[in-house]
Amino acid sequence: MKKFIFGIFTSVFLLSGCISESENQQVIFDRDLQAIEDYIQRNPIASVKEFVDPGLGIRIYWQEVSESGKSPESPDMVKVDYVGKLLNGSVFDTSFEQVARDNNIFDPQRPYGPIEYIFGVGEVIPGFDFAISLMEEGDKVTAFIPSIFGYGAVSQPGIPRNSVLIFELDLVQVGTVTEDELPDE
């Protein structure tokens, strides 16, 4: 019997090694898409404009459209207020002090307020930057980001590995970057 169990364990282990990394990524991506779809079915989002890209799996729902005409271009400096959540509703990060306090993630060592970063140069996760790329100054959106465009298989404080992320974003300001603010190559 022990040989039989060992044989089954060995077979399963060897077969699992036959699954390529890209197949694993596809399984995770498909799971993320289904989880986003399930969430939206259970929690409809009121919006005035929508963006859905089945190939990327990213969904963006505008709560406010400013029509300011000021869209970010790399390397613009942007200021963004945000709330980052998981599909279970837990908040993992925010630029709002009161939201941090209400969700027991307040850190007295950090400043609260809009984050300021250079757009399009990799300072934030790809899904966050992608959502900002579709916004204009003054727009407010809710963006659903599959794990591959978030933190992927790497866990972060408050974020398990392979987590779909939800960001409530408010693009507060789009401005130019000075030469000394550009990142070193």
Side-chain angles (χ1 to χ4, degrees), residues 72-82 113-135 145 167 169-178 181-183:
E73 295 179 12
S74 184
D76 283 342
M77 182 67 72
V78 295
K79 288 185 180 180
V80 181
D81 265 322
Y82 68 94
I115 62 165
E116 189 171 352
Y117 76 95
I118 300 172
F119 171 77
V121 297
E123 291 187 359
V124 296
I125 59 171
F128 191 102
D129 234 8
F130 182 83
I132 295 298
S133 77
L134 299 177
M135 297 173 68
I145 302 171
F167 279 100
L169 302 170
D170 177 359
L171 182 52
V172 176
Q173 184 177 10
V174 177
T176 56
V177 175
T178 63
E181 291 174 315
L182 287 171

Side-chain angles (χ1 to χ4, degrees), residues 52-88:
V52 177
D53 186 322
L56 295 176
I58 295 175
R59 291 181 179 218
I60 302 171
Y61 298 89
W62 276 255
Q63 282 72 51
E64 292 182 27
V65 177
S66 71
E67 298 182 8
S68 69
K70 292 182 73 174
S71 296
E73 295 179 12
S74 184
D76 283 342
M77 182 67 72
V78 295
K79 288 185 180 180
V80 181
D81 265 322
Y82 68 94
V83 176
K85 299 190 273 189
L86 301 176
L87 290 176
N88 67 9

